[in-house]
Structure formats: C-alpha cells, structure tokens
C-alpha cells in the first residue's frame, strides 16, 4: 500500500494514475474504472495528511541541518522551510493518494 501511495497509483488495481495534470486529479482510474473523486470537495480532507507530511519533511531537514551540518537555528529552519516549499507539489499528490488509499482500505470495509 505504501508503494502505491508513493507512486500515486489507484488503490484498487495499483496500475492507473491519480494524476490528470499538474494539479488535476483524474475522475476515474484509466485501468479499472474506480471513481476517485466521490463528490465536489472530496479531497478537502487530504489537507490533514499534507500537514503531517510537511511537518515531517521540514522537521527532518531542519534537524539534519542543525545537527549534521552544524547550521544555526535560523538557518536550519530556513532550510527546512525551503525543503517543504520545494517538495510541496509532490506532497500535494502524496497526501491525496494517502487519503484515497486509507478511505478505500478502511472505510469501505466498515460500510461507511
């Protein structure tokens, strides 16, 4: 499941891509036909994984800059912020993919 999330693949078949453009999600999987966007604003909940991914990425880079490269606090936070800014397009897609995979795996089984 983690590899499918990171590769931005369909949670059902693992082959179709979630992306239809730079920041546009496909409506359905091109391989199995699974519907990705259930309703208008469906991916609004993916902002929560995005917060976590940004905090993890920025925190990790900041700590590496602080302790491994012996930067000051301000410089390490600046490097962490720059890393989050650079990784934001990919983190945007990973958060949507994670949201869709978790919903498909856990909430479909519960009948929600």
């Amino acid at each position: 499941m983690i590899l499918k999330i990171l590769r931005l693949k369909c949670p059902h078949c693992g082959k179709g891509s979630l992306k239809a453009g730079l920041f546009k999600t496909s409506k359905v999987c091109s391989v199995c036909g699974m519907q990705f966007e259930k309703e208008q604003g469906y991916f609004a909940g993916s902002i929560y994984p995005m917060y976590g991914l940004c905090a993890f990425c920025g925190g990790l880079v900041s700590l590496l800059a602080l302790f491994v490269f012996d930067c000051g606090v301000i410089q390490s936070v600046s490097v962490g912020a720059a890393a989050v800014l650079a990784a934001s397009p990919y983190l945007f897609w990973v958060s949507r993919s994670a949201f869709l995979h978790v919903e498909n795996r856990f909430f479909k089984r519960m009948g929600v």
Side-chain angles (χ1 to χ4, degrees):
M1 185 165 115
I2 300 293
L3 288 176
K4 285 196 283 186
I5 290 172
L6 295 176
R7 291 181 187 159
L8 310 175
K9 297 298 182 184
C10 172
H12 183 68
C13 68
K15 295 178 182 155
S17 177
L18 293 175
K19 293 174 70 171
L22 183 61
F23 288 108
K24 187 174 180 187
T25 306
S26 298
K27 300 248 186 242
V28 296
C29 177
S30 60
V31 177
C32 70
M34 178 187 176
Q35 186 176 1
F36 293 144
E37 192 166 355
K38 314 297 191 245
E39 59 187 344
Q40 185 74 21
Y42 171 74
F43 286 110
S46 69
I47 197 164
Y48 300 112
M50 180 77 167
Y51 287 148
L53 289 169
C54 287
F56 179 76
C57 176
L60 183 67
V61 171
S62 293
L63 289 174
L64 282 172
L66 186 64
F67 293 115
V68 175
F69 296 106
D70 201 30
C71 293
V73 173
I74 302 234
Q75 290 135 345
S76 65
V77 170
S78 299
V79 169
V84 168
L85 188 62
S88 287
Y90 180 67
L91 294 177
F92 168 83
W93 282 109
V94 171
S95 68
R96 282 189 172 213
S97 180
F99 184 75
L100 189 61
H101 278 77
V102 167
E103 189 264 341
N104 186 60
R105 180 157 188 180
F106 297 110
F107 293 110
K108 291 295 180 182
R109 291 183 184 171
M110 294 179 359
V112 177

